[in-house]
Amino acid sequence: SLVHLNLSINKKIGMPAGMKALANMLVSSKVKLTTLSLSSCSLDASCIKMLANSLVDNTTLTSINLSGNRFGVEGASYVKRLLEKNNSIKELQVKGCNVDSKREKAIADGLRYNNSLLKSIFSKGTSMAIFDVVEKFEMLGAVCGASATTRI
């Protein structure tokens, strides 16, 4: 069974027919991917919307690399909505996606709604968002009388 799929630098994925084919494959109950790499595939906001819609109910995918796709602000809003609904995604890479710091924060906030235990997002300027999440977990642990060890 296919668990890792690397389609990086495949410009056909960034075309409507290519993304539609990928999205249809991802909603199939037979596909149990854990890692999906789509870096530098020329994905625009409409591609990200199709991708996000196909992954909302996915329970096996834990890591997505979208780096190098210039989907911008609109695409970032689709990523945020995906993270709010999909609890299995633990790692997201969005370096070089033409996403401003406000939208990076929105994506990081989307990870807060995501109930998976360990999350990381790789982008310029988002390490502070991760530390903010860690700080909240540490504060929660202090209030509950528990200790938490976090490695970043």
Side-chain angles (χ1 to χ4, degrees), residues 122-141:
F122 299 96
S123 179
K124 64 174 177 48
T126 55
S127 59
M128 292 310 295
I130 295 169
F131 286 118
D132 185 42
V133 171
V134 170
E135 181 181 349
K136 288 185 184 343
F137 276 116
E138 289 172 346
M139 288 177 13
L140 179 63

Side-chain angles (χ1 to χ4, degrees), residues 60-75:
T60 61
L61 193 67
T62 60
S63 177
I64 306 173
N65 183 352
L66 298 174
S67 297
N69 292 292
R70 307 207 36 95
F71 51 77
V73 172
E74 184 181 355

Side-chain angles (χ1 to χ4, degrees), residues 8-137:
S8 297
I9 314 172
N10 186 332
K11 304 300 182 198
K12 290 181 181 180
I13 297 299
M15 301 172 129
M19 181 50 71
K20 185 175 181 181
L22 177 62
N24 287 338
M25 182 199 75
L26 291 171
V27 297
S28 168
S29 61
K30 296 177 184 176
V31 176
K32 305 290 185 201
L33 287 181
T34 60
T35 305
L36 177 62
S37 183
L38 299 173
S39 65
S40 301
C41 288
S42 299
L43 303 181
D44 61 11
S46 64
C47 289
I48 296 298
K49 182 179 182 179
M50 276 193 273
L51 177 66
N53 287 339
S54 71
L55 293 174
V56 167
D57 295 321
N58 183 293
T59 59
T60 61
L61 193 67
T62 60
S63 177
I64 306 173
N65 183 352
L66 298 174
S67 297
N69 292 292
R70 307 207 36 95
F71 51 77
V73 172
E74 184 181 355
S77 67
Y78 299 127
V79 172
K80 177 186 181 265
R81 279 187 237 143
L82 169 64
L83 295 174
E84 290 172 348
K85 296 177 180 181
N86 181 308
N87 290 326
S88 67
I89 298 169
K90 295 179 176 83
E91 181 179 328
L92 172 66
Q93 296 183 39
V94 291
K95 290 179 186 173
C97 291
N98 199 28
V99 177
D100 62 19
S101 59
K102 180 180 176 182
R103 295 309 185 266
E104 284 181 352
K105 183 179 180 332
I107 291 173
D109 288 345
L111 283 171
R112 287 190 182 125
Y113 292 104
N114 179 314
N115 291 323
S116 57
L117 292 176
L118 179 62
K119 303 168 216 74
S120 59
I121 180 170
F122 299 96
S123 179
K124 64 174 177 48
T126 55
S127 59
M128 292 310 295
I130 295 169
F131 286 118
D132 185 42
V133 171
V134 170
E135 181 181 349
K136 288 185 184 343
F137 276 116

